[in-house]
């Protein structure tokens, strides 16, 4: 049998949990923009609001967070004319395919998911069924578009592997090759951005110290001050990246510089090796302000016009459904659901 041919298509999304940080930008959104601008794949980027409600959300805050994330996408360079931008709940085919995948996935697969163990903890009996089953929805998010590639962080690799398992089992059970086996795309410096106060911890919006992170809504002065006050050690930067092995704060700042300047870490070391942080941090601060302040300003402008954001998301959802509806219909036909 001939191998099926799938349109090269990228799907990825972020939960609207509020408080976008530099980690979200360098670890995900900047990658999204690069993939969009490369033009080799059709690109869909969603706001996964159905995933957000697996734990209780204040409704008004969820609405605001959804719009803020959309503003962050657009301000960072995701262009509604080039990519399909939408929120997941407005494309019902996601949830409909997730139910089919709930019948394919095995309980043991779900129980082994690291994020389920982390989020449910010792009180798993009190966690929502949605939290347990959400990897099936995540698989549906990708497969409802026959996505072939997904840009992910290291902590999401397990979900991509589960998606491949679900797709493979569906194909096997129904003697078809309808769903592609998706490929994760993980690349480049600073995919894990660490705290500015503790280089051993991931940068997080939940850290009590605002100085530990760069918020994507921070203005130029705030960005500069946080970089200049970032924790470092007294030694100058070494000539090679290997010299940063046991210096997590210094390594984090070099990774950030490399990602923002679109250089390799070794190029950064060649330029700044031997420099003290009295030189390096002002250079990084200037670079961060140059790259991030325009995004912050545009996010603020967009958030003052929520109707514009909502219109972009509605248009994106309509375009997404043009792809999703035929795939769901064919899935139903394969399974034997009459309509």
């Amino acid at each position: 049998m001939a191998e099926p041919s799938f349109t090269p298509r990228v799907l990825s999304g972020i939960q609207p949990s509020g408080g976008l940080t530099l980690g979200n930008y360098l670890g995900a959104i900047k990658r999204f923009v690069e993939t969009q601008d490369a033009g080799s794949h059709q690109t869909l980027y969603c706001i996964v609001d159905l995933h957000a409600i697996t734990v209780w959300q204040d409704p008004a805050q969820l609405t605001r967070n959804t719009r803020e994330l959309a503003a962050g996408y657009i301000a960072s360079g995701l262009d509604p004319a080039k990519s399909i931008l939408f929120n997941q709940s407005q494309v019902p085919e996601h949830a409909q395919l997730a139910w089919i995948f709930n019948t394919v996935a095995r309980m043991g697969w779900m129980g082994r998911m690291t994020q389920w163990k982390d989020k449910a903890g010792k009180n798993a009996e009190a966690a929502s069924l949605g939290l347990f089953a959400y990897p099936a929805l995540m698989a549906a998010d990708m497969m409802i578009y026959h996505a072939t590639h997904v840009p992910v962080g290291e902590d999401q690799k397990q979900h991509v592997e589960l998606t491949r398992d679900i797709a493979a089992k569906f194909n096997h059970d129904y003697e078809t090759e309808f769903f592609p086996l998706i490929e994760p795309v993980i690349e480049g410096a600073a995919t894990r951005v660490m705290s500015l106060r503790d280089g051993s911890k991931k940068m997080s919006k939940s850290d009590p110290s605002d100085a530990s992170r760069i918020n994507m809504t921070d203005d130029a002065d705030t960005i500069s001050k946080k970089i200049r006050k970032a924790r470092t050690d007294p030694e100058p930067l070494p000539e090679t990246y290997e010299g940063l092995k046991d210096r997590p704060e210094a390594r984090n700042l070099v990774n950030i510089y490399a990602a923002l300047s679109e250089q390799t870490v070794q190029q950064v070391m060649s330029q700044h090796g031997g420099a003290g942080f009295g030189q390096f941090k002002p250079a990084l601060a200037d670079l961060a302000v140059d790259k991030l302040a325009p995004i912050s300003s545009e996010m603020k402008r967009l958030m003052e016009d929520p109707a514009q954001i909502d219109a972009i998301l509605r248009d994106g959802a309509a375009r997404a459904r043009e792809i999703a509806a035929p795939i769901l219909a064919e899935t139903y036909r394969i399974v034997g659901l009459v309509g």
Side-chain angles (χ1 to χ4, degrees):
M1 183 187 297
E3 287 291 316
S5 176
F6 297 103
T7 299
R9 188 175 286 146
V10 168
L11 180 285
S12 199
I14 298 176
Q15 281 200 35
S17 51
L20 278 177
T21 71
L22 179 64
N24 300 121
Y25 175 68
L26 292 181
I29 299 174
K30 183 173 180 286
R31 310 283 186 205
F32 297 173
V33 176
E34 290 167 354
T35 301
Q36 167 197 269
D37 292 346
S40 57
H41 296 72
Q42 183 179 28
T43 47
L44 301 94
Y45 297 112
C46 67
I47 296 163
V48 289
D49 48 1
L50 292 177
H51 287 294
I53 62 170
T54 56
V55 294
W56 191 85
Q57 302 286 330
D58 175 82
Q61 190 62 45
L62 178 59
T63 298
R64 176 178 171 77
N65 289 348
T66 298
R67 289 172 175 153
E68 181 184 83
L69 179 51
Y73 277 177
I74 298 162
S76 299
L78 287 180
D79 183 347
K82 295 180 180 178
S83 294
I84 299 177
L85 309 180
F86 64 100
N87 54 316
Q88 176 194 34
S89 62
Q90 301 311 299
V91 181
E93 288 83 0
H94 285 247
Q96 290 171 284
L97 184 60
W99 181 255
I100 300 292
F101 284 175
N102 278 337
T103 70
V104 174
R106 305 291 91 179
M107 291 282 286
W109 298 0
M110 299 300 196
R112 287 192 291 272
M113 299 302 289
T114 301
Q115 288 200 14
W116 160 251
K117 294 175 183 177
D118 290 347
K119 290 185 178 182
K122 296 178 180 177
N123 200 24
E125 292 292 318
S128 76
L129 179 60
L131 184 62
F132 183 71
Y134 87 99
L137 176 57
M138 187 175 285
D141 295 337
M142 300 178 233
M143 291 296 99
I144 197 61
Y145 302 105
H146 275 179
T148 55
H149 296 79
V150 57
V152 293
E154 285 286 344
D155 57 347
Q156 294 293 318
K157 283 176 67 177
Q158 190 183 30
H159 288 105
V160 177
E161 290 163 2
L162 179 72
T163 297
R164 289 169 61 91
D165 289 343
I166 291 173
K169 188 173 190 302
F170 180 97
N171 289 346
H172 176 269
D173 290 353
Y174 292 100
E175 298 181 345
T176 182
E177 294 185 57
F178 186 59
F179 288 113
L181 300 185
I182 200 163
E183 293 291 340
V185 180
I186 303 168
E187 57 186 6
T191 51
R192 276 182 73 85
V193 180
M194 312 308 282
S195 165
L196 298 180
R197 307 306 300 166
D198 181 348
S200 67
K201 295 180 180 177
K202 193 174 179 180
M203 184 178 286
S204 170
K205 67 179 184 297
S206 59
D207 192 305
S209 171
D210 189 60
S212 70
R213 60 186 168 270
I214 303 291
N215 303 300
M216 294 307 294
T217 52
D218 285 343
D219 62 22
D221 285 346
T222 304
I223 294 167
S224 181
K225 286 175 183 175
K226 286 181 176 179
I227 294 288
R228 291 169 187 268
K229 292 181 178 179
R231 180 179 175 184
T232 50
D233 56 50
E235 299 298 320
L237 288 174
E239 300 292 337
T240 65
Y241 189 65
E242 289 71 27
L244 294 172
K245 182 183 176 187
D246 298 316
R247 300 171 62 184
E249 287 80 20
R251 186 171 64 247
N252 185 40
L253 295 186
V254 168
N255 283 344
I256 292 171
Y257 193 106
L260 287 175
S261 63
E262 300 185 359
Q263 298 181 87
T264 66
V265 289
Q266 194 51 55
Q267 286 174 316
V268 176
M269 303 312 297
S270 297
Q271 292 171 11
H272 297 280
F277 286 102
Q279 288 177 265
F280 184 69
K281 287 203 288 187
L284 176 56
D286 289 347
L287 174 64
V289 166
D290 181 61
K291 297 288 186 179
L292 303 176
I295 297 174
S296 171
S297 298
E298 179 63 4
M299 282 184 68
K300 183 178 179 182
R301 185 195 70 77
L302 287 163
M303 287 298 288
E304 290 170 355
D305 188 3
Q308 180 188 3
I309 295 173
D310 293 352
I312 290 169
L313 293 177
R314 273 196 307 273
D315 178 68
R319 290 162 60 202
R321 294 197 72 188
E322 290 175 5
I323 303 170
I327 291 174
L328 182 71
E330 180 61 11
T331 304
Y332 277 14
R333 188 199 66 77
I334 291 169
V335 172
L337 300 175
V338 179

